[in-house]
């Protein structure tokens, strides 16, 4: 379980090509960057696809134009700016709970009437760090670190969740989900149709992430599939679902997960290293 920001001020999907035999080293370079949230090693014309979140455009350019290009193991970087997320992984469900079980899950509490209307940057940063490391962290533990009362922490969490700045999500190694294959698709869609796609994509259980992007493509999707032949079958399903409005320009099958929400993963998708906390979120 992880506490993460609902949105980053600037987000991008970054494709990386590497010198022959250097994808593993390049992946270590990327994993060391706090802005890299998710990293996949892929088959196809790029070696790595990374989802990146930064505080502003300057931070993004410093990463993609400066630091990454200074590495001999990286030969090319292509950046697709995210203009809007249509779907994100926190809304994806395994669909294994009954309706009664879903109804039994308590909804997030709204802030108390007496709660402060805003959360200080200092307290918000501590909350993000602690809940990022452990989404089950107790209010008592956080309060002790922040030097405030447990009620103040509880109010702050409610305020951040109610405003949409903070989400608490549960993730599981893909090998246990029944959807062991992952792939990225890059599409060209009529601009007028992008927002009409949101509901239809939400009905396609394979789609984990869909983002409107600004590049030679205008839509990127990350999907989970039952088996490898589904990589091509999904394109047929996509065409039927959206009336042929999208043209798949490129696709990349994930051959190994690298990082998820900043956590390093092994070949099976298990977290092997949890960093102490994310970069600063003052601009959230």
């Amino acid at each position: 379980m992880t506490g993460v920001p609902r949105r980053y001020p600037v987000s991008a999907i970054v494709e990386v090509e590497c010198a022959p035999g250097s994808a593993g080293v390049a992946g270590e370079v990327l994993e060391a960057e706090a802005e890299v949230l998710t990293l996949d090693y892929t088959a196809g014309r790029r070696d790595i696809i990374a989802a990146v979140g930064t505080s502003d455009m300057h931070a993004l350019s410093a990463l993609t134009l400066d630091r990454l290009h200074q590495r001999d193991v990286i030969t090319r970087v292509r950046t697709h700016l995210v203009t809007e997320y249509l779907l994100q992984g926190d809304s994806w469900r395994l669909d294994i709970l009954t309706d009664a079980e879903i109804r039994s899950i308590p909804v997030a509490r709204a802030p108390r009437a007496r709660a402060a209307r805003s959360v200080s940057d200092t307290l918000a940063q501590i909350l993000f760090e602690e809940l990022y490391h452990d989404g089950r962290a107790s209010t008592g533990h956080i309060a002790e670190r922040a030097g405030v009362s447990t009620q103040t922490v509880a109010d702050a969490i409610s305020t951040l969740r109610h405003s949409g700045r903070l989400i608490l999500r549960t993730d599981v190694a893909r090998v246990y989900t029944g959807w062991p294959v992952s792939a990225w698709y890059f599409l060209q869609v009529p601009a007028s149709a992008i927002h009409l796609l949101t509901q239809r994509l939400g009905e396609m259980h394979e789609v984990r992430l869909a983002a409107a992007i600004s590049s030679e493509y205008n839509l990127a999707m990350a999907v989970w599939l039952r088996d490898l032949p589904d990589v091509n079958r999904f394109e047929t399903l996509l065409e039927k679902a959206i009336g042929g409005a999208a043209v798949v320009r490129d696709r990349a099958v994930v051959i190994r997960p690298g990082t998820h929400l900043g956590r390093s993963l092994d070949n099976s998708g298990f977290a092997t290293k949890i960093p102490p906390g994310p970069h600063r979120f003052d601009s959230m």
Side-chain angles (χ1 to χ4, degrees):
M1 289 189 65
T2 312
V4 293
R6 187 68 179 89
R7 293 285 186 270
Y8 289 82
V10 177
S11 298
I13 296 169
V14 178
E15 299 179 79
V16 177
E17 294 180 20
C18 308
S22 300
V25 177
E28 293 175 358
V29 169
L30 284 159
E31 288 183 25
E33 299 288 350
E35 294 88 354
V36 174
L37 308 173
T38 298
L39 182 151
D40 290 323
Y41 297 92
T42 63
R45 68 186 182 93
R46 83 282 295 153
D47 299 289
I48 293 171
I49 296 177
V52 172
T54 67
S55 58
D56 53 35
M57 196 68 74
H58 174 73
L60 177 65
S61 65
L63 172 67
T64 59
L65 300 181
D66 299 329
R67 298 198 298 277
L68 296 185
H69 279 289
Q70 293 172 1
R71 302 288 187 151
D72 293 338
V73 293
I74 295 175
T75 59
R76 187 174 182 183
V77 176
R78 284 185 295 272
T79 303
H80 308 277
L81 283 172
V82 174
T83 57
E84 182 181 0
Y85 282 106
L86 308 179
L87 290 173
Q88 287 188 267
D90 59 274
S91 62
W92 193 84
R93 299 291 183 268
L94 277 173
D95 288 340
I96 59 174
L97 299 180
T98 65
D99 291 342
E101 288 171 331
I102 293 173
R103 288 193 298 270
S104 71
I105 300 173
V107 298
R109 290 183 299 176
R112 297 184 308 141
R114 297 174 58 186
R117 295 183 177 272
S118 61
V119 180
S120 71
D121 288 344
T122 300
L123 180 55
Q125 180 63 26
I126 292 173
L127 284 170
F128 277 118
E129 290 177 356
E130 293 293 337
L131 293 174
Y132 171 79
H133 183 72
D134 178 7
R136 299 182 178 89
S138 69
T139 55
H141 168 76
I142 299 173
E144 183 176 357
R145 179 186 165 188
V148 297
S149 69
T150 56
Q151 185 63 65
T152 297
V153 170
D155 288 343
I157 292 174
S158 294
T159 297
L160 291 174
R161 294 187 70 186
H162 188 71
S163 68
R165 289 178 64 192
L166 169 69
I167 60 171
L168 295 174
R169 54 182 290 168
T170 302
D171 290 272
V172 61
R174 195 169 64 243
V175 67
Y176 286 110
T177 66
W179 304 83
V181 177
S182 178
W184 285 87
Y185 291 86
F186 295 91
L187 306 93
Q188 187 64 42
V189 180
S192 59
I194 285 184
H195 286 92
L196 297 177
L197 296 178
T198 304
Q199 180 177 354
R200 293 174 183 174
L201 292 176
E203 295 169 353
M204 301 175 69
H205 198 65
E206 295 86 352
V207 180
R208 287 267 301 180
L209 177 146
I213 56 177
S214 178
S215 67
E216 66 266 41
Y217 318 108
N218 63 359
L219 182 65
M221 295 193 306
V223 305
W224 283 9
L225 304 166
R226 296 289 191 183
D227 52 38
L228 200 55
D230 274 350
V231 172
N232 293 323
R233 286 196 290 263
F234 176 74
E235 294 185 25
T236 302
L237 179 64
L238 181 64
E239 290 177 0
K240 291 180 179 179
I242 58 182
V247 177
V248 177
R249 298 293 187 185
D250 201 358
R251 81 280 299 150
V253 177
V254 176
I255 56 178
R256 188 171 75 189
T259 301
H260 181 66
L261 297 179
R263 289 161 164 78
S264 297
L265 306 179
D266 64 16
N267 290 348
S268 298
F270 289 92
T272 59
K273 182 174 65 176
I274 301 176
H279 56 82
R280 295 192 61 81
F281 296 108
D282 300 30
S283 300
M284 293 296 157

